[in-house]
Amino acid sequence: MSLINNLSTSMISSSSSAFLAPTSFNSSRTQNVSVKSLRIVKCITTPQEQQTAYKTKVSRNANIAKLQAGYLFPEVARRRAAHLLKYPNAQVISLGIGDTTEPIPDVITSAMAKRSHALSTLEGYSGYGAEQGEKALRAALASIFYGNLGIEEDDIFVSDGAKCDISRLQIVFGSNVTMAVQDPSYPAYVDSSVIMGQTGQFQKDVERFANIEYMRCTPENGFFPDLSNVGRPDIIFFCSPNNPTGAAATREQLTRLVQFAKENGSIIVYDSAYALYMSDENPRSIFEIPGAKEVAIETASFSKYAGFTGVRLGWTVVPKQLLFSDGFPVAKDFNRIVCTCFNGASNISQAGGLACLSPEGLEAMQEVIGFYKENTKIIVETFNSLGFKVYGGQNAPYVWVHFPGRNSWDVFSEILEKTHIVTTPGSGFGPGGEGFIRVSAFGHRENVLEACRRFRQLYN
Amino acid sequence: MSLINNLSTSMISSSSSAFLAPTSFNSSRTQNVSVKSLRIVKCITTPQEQQTAYKTKVSRNANIAKLQAGYLFPEVARRRAAHLLKYPNAQVISLGIGDTTEPIPDVITSAMAKRSHALSTLEGYSGYGAEQGEKALRAALASIFYGNLGIEEDDIFVSDGAKCDISRLQIVFGSNVTMAVQDPSYPAYVDSSVIMGQTGQFQKDVERFANIEYMRCTPENGFFPDLSNVGRPDIIFFCSPNNPTGAAATREQLTRLVQFAKENGSIIVYDSAYALYMSDENPRSIFEIPGAKEVAIETASFSKYAGFTGVRLGWTVVPKQLLFSDGFPVAKDFNRIVCTCFNGASNISQAGGLACLSPEGLEAMQEVIGFYKENTKIIVETFNSLGFKVYGGQNAPYVWVHFPGRNSWDVFSEILEKTHIVTTPGSGFGPGGEGFIRVSAFGHRENVLEACRRFRQLYN
């Protein structure tokens, strides 16, 4: 008997028995509690539903309840969807979430297709891989990105992306640590910190969570925080080149950051997901700074280099020299979490990653990066010519446009309403982003050009 | 200039500047702290290293410190590696971790190869997908696995595997819940509970963590816990067909379980990763039980159906009817965690999943499952013929062999030492597994036959 027959027989018999033989507690089932379209509709429970719906006695996690609205990017997507409902024929251009748009070079996809086919052969099949990633990929990452920096193959943990690793790192740290983030910053740092219970409640007046150190990064300080004003944090999330401001820290600044961590016994989680977008001669890795291996973790990703946002592949470096206060290596606990809460990145994605690091793959990635950098230049020039003060763009695929004195969400809405272009409101990245809009350079060339034409129309 | 040039220039200049211009704190770097081979060597810090190594002031997470030794399967792998060092020429057969060995049917890998190639085209490229999974895959899962059970497409969250989803569910629940598990059980439930801080310390005398309800499942109770002896837990992890015992709960037993949850206001996390291995007429899904949608979550995986252990694809069903005590839908918080701590399964893996659910794919999966079921039969017959009392095997790819009065790790070592066969010691799944060995049916036919020949030699 085929599986389909098995399945359908089982489904029919079971479901009929389920529906024909209601038990005593069946009456409390409420088919009318409907939360359709989880992604775009906020939860609304009417009093009537509350009367009839069965509730468990499990308390909602109070830390998750602290989170504000949706995670930023789904919220942007929700507003985009609402806009499309209002203007069904609008030619919406998305320069919001930072999603790659250009095809993956053939040398890389061919390697993934080859690995896929190989999985159908006895010789080429592989099951569970090492949770930490395939040896060849870890070795290639070590040699290409950390050649002379003393980072070894076994310091590198391959993952399904930087966002996922940030969450796993937070599990390692637990709830009893204090956290500092750049303000503005990529929202996953703060949100994961809230989820793990490291913070207090959200304080609406200052738009911050209690017990997080928000290190303000503004044009005035060159987007590098004034560390003399920062209290001792256990963990410092630091992203360079920065998402969203596009600012890249210099060697001198990173040296100060490492020194600050060393003096305070802090751990830096350095997000280098945009390192290869660097044009200036700044460090590509925190491990270029002497002493960093004793105070820093680095997380990185293929997403923005090879268009792997959907393929999912990244890595995190946890040097064996990094120790907790009791001398226990952080890498041992990260390894334990990777083994317990994760099962390795897809073997097909890993084949793609290995192809990225071949000589042809490296050249192909460089072309992808070059394409988006050209987009960035076009966007920067457009806003400059319109008289806006513009930051970023030189070392990152993000342009950080200043709208002094204006509310970010208002500007976001104005742009969306009048030009059908989706951007990201700066305040979504923290209170320090208020008055800014992030424009992503990820898009087809014709869309970027068309968007710039519309920006000119709106703001000329 | 190519990326390689960029990279190598950057690496050389940065690393030389790093090494040529040491800062004041460079002297505290210790190149000699080496924890090679994280996977197989336990952490040993000598007094000398402790004197010289820089330590941060970040406290180690006390919950992770509670964990015992390594996660079970890496520990088994460690012992396997040690055995190979001792017997470099041994023909080791692995019936331990439950890792699939048979090639993935071509209809599935072709779809993944096709999607890979498509990613190199403008029309076929896709970046970030929905964190919850592709709509087509969610719809196919809903229709094929939950056809008439009232589970809708938006109740289903596609993931990179059940183990990863268990960890994400634990993040949703947080630290202030109480947990019940079958004893023995798949170790990720207990370990993730410990990591989240839901438990007390490990109590060596009873080999249990404090504050977890271990629901003993033995031959005496037909591997279904005596619920009248179970205190009220918030969360009940329940796996059927069970890993490791191979026991499958009947409709009547699951009805009692749902009723127990309903009466106690508990949430069941039902792990159905082996549902399609069922031969008996037991439910394939907890949602076949009336009322289950108000008290249960179900997690499942393609790993053991299609050989996706390395490809990584699973799903979790969180019905919108499932509510926390304050009436807030659990699905909304799970969605928030999926969006914040995860970025969706690989689009290539999802293409494979969709192919699995085509008529040809379903037949192909059935063949894979049938092959392993035949293996199971061979293993069961072997141990039966040797006079062992054997459980499982009928509804799951695991055979649970009883060695009354013996220590599981001793039996594991005896078998490894004398036959070069890797099994899994029952006590690794909890104190209730003591005196048992789990033999996995995942293996090439000739290896399973050879393993059975060796078992006969050893125990005849």
Side-chain angles (χ1 to χ4, degrees), chain A residues 295-328:
Chain A
V295 292
I297 288 165
E298 181 164 300
T299 185
S301 166
F302 285 98
S303 286
K304 309 301 165 82
Y305 300 165
F308 269 30
T309 42
V311 171
R312 313 303 313 142
L313 196 69
W315 70 94
T316 289
V317 184
V318 188
K320 53 184 75 63
Q321 293 87 340
L322 180 67
L323 307 177
F324 285 118
S325 57
D326 64 356
F328 197 86

Short mmCIF file of all heavy atoms in Angstrom, two decimals, chain A residues 295-328:
data_model
loop_
_atom_site.label_atom_id
_atom_site.label_comp_id
_atom_site.label_asym_id
_atom_site.label_seq_id
_atom_site.Cartn_x
_atom_site.Cartn_y
_atom_site.Cartn_z
N VAL A 295 38.59 38.79 24.23
CA VAL A 295 37.40 39.53 24.64
C VAL A 295 36.30 39.54 23.58
O VAL A 295 35.24 40.14 23.82
CB VAL A 295 37.72 41.01 25.00
CG1 VAL A 295 38.57 41.09 26.26
CG2 VAL A 295 38.40 41.72 23.85
N ALA A 296 36.51 38.88 22.44
CA ALA A 296 35.52 39.07 21.37
C ALA A 296 35.08 37.78 20.70
O ALA A 296 35.84 36.81 20.60
CB ALA A 296 36.05 40.03 20.32
N ILE A 297 33.83 37.83 20.27
CA ILE A 297 33.20 36.83 19.41
C ILE A 297 32.89 37.57 18.11
O ILE A 297 32.56 38.76 18.15
CB ILE A 297 31.91 36.33 20.07
CG1 ILE A 297 32.23 35.44 21.28
CG2 ILE A 297 31.01 35.60 19.07
CD1 ILE A 297 31.03 35.20 22.19
N GLU A 298 32.97 36.89 16.97
CA GLU A 298 32.61 37.57 15.72
C GLU A 298 31.59 36.73 14.98
O GLU A 298 31.72 35.52 14.88
CB GLU A 298 33.85 37.78 14.85
CG GLU A 298 33.56 38.50 13.54
CD GLU A 298 34.83 39.04 12.87
OE1 GLU A 298 35.52 39.85 13.49
OE2 GLU A 298 35.12 38.61 11.73
N THR A 299 30.54 37.39 14.50
CA THR A 299 29.53 36.66 13.73
C THR A 299 29.45 37.26 12.33
O THR A 299 29.64 38.45 12.14
CB THR A 299 28.18 36.66 14.48
OG1 THR A 299 27.26 35.85 13.77
CG2 THR A 299 27.61 38.06 14.64
N ALA A 300 29.23 36.39 11.36
CA ALA A 300 29.27 36.82 9.96
C ALA A 300 28.35 35.94 9.13
O ALA A 300 27.78 34.98 9.63
CB ALA A 300 30.69 36.76 9.43
N SER A 301 28.22 36.27 7.87
CA SER A 301 27.18 35.63 7.07
C SER A 301 27.48 35.71 5.58
O SER A 301 28.14 36.64 5.12
CB SER A 301 25.86 36.34 7.36
OG SER A 301 24.89 36.01 6.41
N PHE A 302 27.00 34.73 4.85
CA PHE A 302 27.08 34.77 3.39
C PHE A 302 25.91 35.54 2.78
O PHE A 302 25.87 35.74 1.57
CB PHE A 302 27.10 33.35 2.82
CG PHE A 302 28.40 32.62 2.98
CD1 PHE A 302 28.59 31.71 4.01
CD2 PHE A 302 29.45 32.83 2.10
CE1 PHE A 302 29.79 31.04 4.17
CE2 PHE A 302 30.65 32.16 2.24
CZ PHE A 302 30.82 31.26 3.29
N SER A 303 24.94 35.95 3.59
CA SER A 303 23.69 36.50 3.06
C SER A 303 23.93 37.66 2.10
O SER A 303 23.40 37.67 0.99
CB SER A 303 22.80 36.99 4.20
OG SER A 303 22.23 35.90 4.87
N LYS A 304 24.71 38.64 2.51
CA LYS A 304 24.85 39.86 1.73
C LYS A 304 26.04 39.80 0.78
O LYS A 304 26.28 40.73 0.04
CB LYS A 304 24.96 41.06 2.67
CG LYS A 304 23.86 41.13 3.73
CD LYS A 304 22.45 41.19 3.13
CE LYS A 304 21.35 40.89 4.13
NZ LYS A 304 20.94 41.98 4.98
N TYR A 305 26.82 38.73 0.84
CA TYR A 305 27.97 38.58 -0.07
C TYR A 305 27.59 37.78 -1.31
O TYR A 305 28.06 38.03 -2.40
CB TYR A 305 29.13 37.86 0.62
CG TYR A 305 29.67 38.52 1.85
CD1 TYR A 305 30.50 37.82 2.73
CD2 TYR A 305 29.39 39.86 2.15
CE1 TYR A 305 31.03 38.42 3.86
CE2 TYR A 305 29.91 40.46 3.30
CZ TYR A 305 30.73 39.73 4.15
OH TYR A 305 31.25 40.32 5.27
N ALA A 306 26.74 36.77 -1.09
CA ALA A 306 26.46 35.84 -2.19
C ALA A 306 24.96 35.70 -2.43
O ALA A 306 24.53 34.82 -3.16
CB ALA A 306 27.06 34.46 -1.86
N GLY A 307 24.18 36.59 -1.84
CA GLY A 307 22.72 36.49 -2.02
C GLY A 307 22.12 35.29 -1.31
O GLY A 307 21.14 34.71 -1.75
N PHE A 308 22.69 34.93 -0.16
CA PHE A 308 22.27 33.73 0.56
C PHE A 308 21.18 34.02 1.60
O PHE A 308 20.99 33.21 2.52
CB PHE A 308 23.48 33.11 1.28
CG PHE A 308 24.20 32.06 0.45
CD1 PHE A 308 24.24 32.15 -0.93
CD2 PHE A 308 24.87 31.00 1.07
CE1 PHE A 308 24.92 31.19 -1.69
CE2 PHE A 308 25.54 30.03 0.33
CZ PHE A 308 25.57 30.12 -1.04
N THR A 309 20.46 35.13 1.47
CA THR A 309 19.43 35.45 2.46
C THR A 309 18.39 34.33 2.56
O THR A 309 17.86 34.07 3.64
CB THR A 309 18.75 36.78 2.11
OG1 THR A 309 18.51 36.83 0.70
CG2 THR A 309 19.61 37.97 2.49
N GLY A 310 18.12 33.67 1.44
CA GLY A 310 17.17 32.55 1.46
C GLY A 310 17.83 31.20 1.61
O GLY A 310 17.22 30.25 2.07
N VAL A 311 19.09 31.12 1.23
CA VAL A 311 19.83 29.83 1.30
C VAL A 311 20.22 29.52 2.74
O VAL A 311 20.24 28.36 3.15
CB VAL A 311 21.07 29.87 0.37
CG1 VAL A 311 21.96 28.66 0.59
CG2 VAL A 311 20.63 29.94 -1.09
N ARG A 312 20.52 30.56 3.51
CA ARG A 312 20.84 30.46 4.94
C ARG A 312 22.21 29.83 5.21
O ARG A 312 22.35 28.63 5.27
CB ARG A 312 19.77 29.69 5.73
CG ARG A 312 18.34 30.06 5.48
CD ARG A 312 17.99 31.51 5.73
NE ARG A 312 18.51 31.97 6.99
CZ ARG A 312 19.02 33.20 7.18
NH1 ARG A 312 19.08 34.08 6.20
NH2 ARG A 312 19.49 33.55 8.36
N LEU A 313 23.20 30.69 5.42
CA LEU A 313 24.53 30.22 5.83
C LEU A 313 25.31 31.37 6.44
O LEU A 313 25.39 32.46 5.86
CB LEU A 313 25.29 29.63 4.63
CG LEU A 313 26.50 28.77 5.00
CD1 LEU A 313 26.08 27.47 5.68
CD2 LEU A 313 27.35 28.45 3.77
N GLY A 314 25.86 31.11 7.58
CA GLY A 314 26.70 32.10 8.25
C GLY A 314 27.73 31.39 9.11
O GLY A 314 27.88 30.17 9.02
N TRP A 315 28.43 32.16 9.92
CA TRP A 315 29.37 31.53 10.85
C TRP A 315 29.65 32.46 12.02
O TRP A 315 29.43 33.66 11.93
CB TRP A 315 30.69 31.15 10.15
CG TRP A 315 31.57 32.28 9.73
CD1 TRP A 315 32.61 32.83 10.42
CD2 TRP A 315 31.51 33.02 8.49
NE1 TRP A 315 33.19 33.85 9.70
CE2 TRP A 315 32.54 33.99 8.51
CE3 TRP A 315 30.69 32.97 7.35
CZ2 TRP A 315 32.76 34.89 7.46
CZ3 TRP A 315 30.91 33.86 6.31
CH2 TRP A 315 31.93 34.81 6.36
N THR A 316 30.12 31.86 13.09
CA THR A 316 30.48 32.62 14.28
C THR A 316 31.82 32.12 14.78
O THR A 316 32.07 30.91 14.80
CB THR A 316 29.38 32.48 15.36
OG1 THR A 316 28.23 33.21 14.92
CG2 THR A 316 29.84 33.02 16.70
N VAL A 317 32.68 33.06 15.12
CA VAL A 317 34.01 32.73 15.63
C VAL A 317 34.01 32.94 17.14
O VAL A 317 33.73 34.04 17.61
CB VAL A 317 35.09 33.62 14.99
CG1 VAL A 317 36.47 33.20 15.46
CG2 VAL A 317 34.99 33.60 13.48
N VAL A 318 34.29 31.88 17.87
CA VAL A 318 34.44 31.99 19.33
C VAL A 318 35.84 31.47 19.66
O VAL A 318 36.06 30.27 19.75
CB VAL A 318 33.36 31.18 20.09
CG1 VAL A 318 33.45 31.49 21.58
CG2 VAL A 318 31.97 31.47 19.55
N PRO A 319 36.78 32.38 19.82
CA PRO A 319 38.17 31.95 20.04
C PRO A 319 38.30 31.18 21.35
O PRO A 319 37.63 31.50 22.34
CB PRO A 319 38.96 33.27 20.13
CG PRO A 319 38.07 34.32 19.57
CD PRO A 319 36.67 33.86 19.84
N LYS A 320 39.15 30.19 21.34
CA LYS A 320 39.33 29.37 22.54
C LYS A 320 39.97 30.16 23.68
O LYS A 320 39.93 29.76 24.81
CB LYS A 320 40.14 28.11 22.21
CG LYS A 320 41.45 28.38 21.51
CD LYS A 320 42.18 27.09 21.12
CE LYS A 320 41.58 26.39 19.92
NZ LYS A 320 41.62 27.16 18.65
N GLN A 321 40.53 31.33 23.35
CA GLN A 321 41.15 32.19 24.38
C GLN A 321 40.12 32.97 25.18
O GLN A 321 40.48 33.60 26.18
CB GLN A 321 42.10 33.20 23.72
CG GLN A 321 43.35 32.60 23.07
CD GLN A 321 43.11 32.19 21.63
OE1 GLN A 321 41.97 32.00 21.19
NE2 GLN A 321 44.17 32.00 20.89
N LEU A 322 38.87 32.97 24.74
CA LEU A 322 37.84 33.77 25.43
C LEU A 322 37.28 32.98 26.60
O LEU A 322 36.71 31.91 26.44
CB LEU A 322 36.72 34.11 24.42
CG LEU A 322 35.56 34.94 24.97
CD1 LEU A 322 36.02 36.35 25.33
CD2 LEU A 322 34.43 34.99 23.95
N LEU A 323 37.43 33.52 27.81
CA LEU A 323 37.07 32.77 29.02
C LEU A 323 36.07 33.53 29.88
O LEU A 323 36.13 34.76 29.99
CB LEU A 323 38.34 32.53 29.87
CG LEU A 323 39.54 31.87 29.16
CD1 LEU A 323 40.73 31.78 30.13
CD2 LEU A 323 39.18 30.49 28.61
N PHE A 324 35.17 32.77 30.48
CA PHE A 324 34.31 33.37 31.51
C PHE A 324 35.15 33.69 32.74
O PHE A 324 36.32 33.29 32.85
CB PHE A 324 33.19 32.38 31.88
CG PHE A 324 32.10 32.27 30.85
CD1 PHE A 324 31.85 31.05 30.21
CD2 PHE A 324 31.31 33.37 30.50
CE1 PHE A 324 30.85 30.94 29.26
CE2 PHE A 324 30.31 33.26 29.55
CZ PHE A 324 30.07 32.04 28.93
N SER A 325 34.52 34.36 33.70
CA SER A 325 35.27 34.81 34.88
C SER A 325 35.86 33.64 35.68
O SER A 325 36.86 33.79 36.36
CB SER A 325 34.36 35.64 35.79
OG SER A 325 33.21 34.90 36.14
N ASP A 326 35.25 32.47 35.55
CA ASP A 326 35.78 31.31 36.28
C ASP A 326 36.82 30.54 35.45
O ASP A 326 37.24 29.46 35.85
CB ASP A 326 34.64 30.37 36.70
CG ASP A 326 33.90 29.76 35.52
OD1 ASP A 326 34.22 30.13 34.35
OD2 ASP A 326 33.00 28.92 35.73
N GLY A 327 37.18 31.08 34.31
CA GLY A 327 38.19 30.43 33.48
C GLY A 327 37.63 29.43 32.48
O GLY A 327 38.38 28.85 31.69
N PHE A 328 36.31 29.22 32.51
CA PHE A 328 35.72 28.25 31.59
C PHE A 328 35.62 28.87 30.20
O PHE A 328 35.17 30.01 30.04
CB PHE A 328 34.32 27.86 32.09
CG PHE A 328 33.79 26.59 31.45
CD1 PHE A 328 34.11 25.36 31.98
CD2 PHE A 328 33.00 26.65 30.31
CE1 PHE A 328 33.64 24.18 31.40
CE2 PHE A 328 32.53 25.48 29.72
CZ PHE A 328 32.86 24.24 30.27
#
